[in-house]
Amino acid sequence: MLNFNNEIESTARLTNNSFTHQLLPISCSILKFCPPANATKSQIVHLLPDFVATDSCDFSGSQPIGTLGTHPVDGCVQYVFEEDHELTEYYFASEEGCAVGQKVAVKISDFSITANQCKKIGLTTSRIRNCDCRFNKKISTLSEPCRTAFSDSCSDTLLIKGDCCEQGTCLSKFEDFTHPDGKIKELERKLACKNDEPGLCYNEDGKGTDTNSQGSTNCCEHTCSACGIDLNPFVSWKPCTALDFATKKAKCGFLSRYSPEAHECDFSKCAKDAHWSSVGEAFISFALGPTSAPAPTPPPTPTPASGGNRAGKGAYGGLLSLVLLAVHQW
């Protein structure tokens, strides 16, 4: 991963006079190629036009970017990725290295998008529980820009109370209903709830993390509004989709960001007095939709009587018709 920070460099060294196979994701704007300490022959580093040319070692359309010397420090070649770069993939090789399968491919991703994604993960990481946002207790394989964005968001949201770091019970401010930020977020969530739709109330026992899928699963008892951090700081509500009324089953959210498929709720297993019992009103109403009562038949309009009192009866009939209409509308 490349961030245009010209204070950081990434170095690719030659191994046995050929380029290393792969560069791990890193944040940089300068790619530096250096020869090994025992180099005896110089090589020209090329920027190749695409994967096909690199795969076939076709240097006809390549661009030389520099010649490697034999000194491991002074013999290096640098390639600078400008901020207004046009490509998203770059391919490098020497003719000697390419012949033995040694090539370097660099993929550039947007720094801000990557950082924002990792910032969101930091808000719910299990490292919050034991105050390990700075990776002091467990090492991390995250590279920049993800590492810093993750670590900062984790630290910013961490609430330390008593010995929670030692006990592994710390919360984020967004999990604590007594914290102003937590209460605002939870109330906003409740306002958006659709309580006539079933869902999974996940992790009431607090054993689940965003990666382990080991929390409790309750498909039967709660609505969206009831399954919030005021019930338990660790819970999350996962709405159901694709309900099959015949089998009484539905897909109801992923238990972790690594779950291969959504969790399945089987409402036929709910107790008969549970809110989402498959024989209960809430479940049937959602599955089949609201039933519409037939519209009432409008009352007949009275016909004026014939004879000498026509005007009086006609006026009375009109008045009666208005009264009946008003009653019907009410």
Side-chain angles (χ1 to χ4, degrees), residues 180-200:
D181 290 345
K183 178 172 288 187
I184 290 172
K185 184 178 180 180
E186 176 60 20
L187 293 179
E188 289 176 346
R189 187 195 72 84
K190 291 181 187 294
L191 286 174
C193 277
K194 297 179 180 179
N195 289 321
D196 58 346
E197 298 181 1
L200 167 65

Side-chain angles (χ1 to χ4, degrees), residues 125-137:
T125 175
S126 58
R127 290 179 182 270
I128 290 173
R129 301 288 173 255
N130 64 348
C131 310
D132 192 25
C133 295
R134 298 303 185 190
F135 316 114
N136 295 320
K137 299 178 181 180

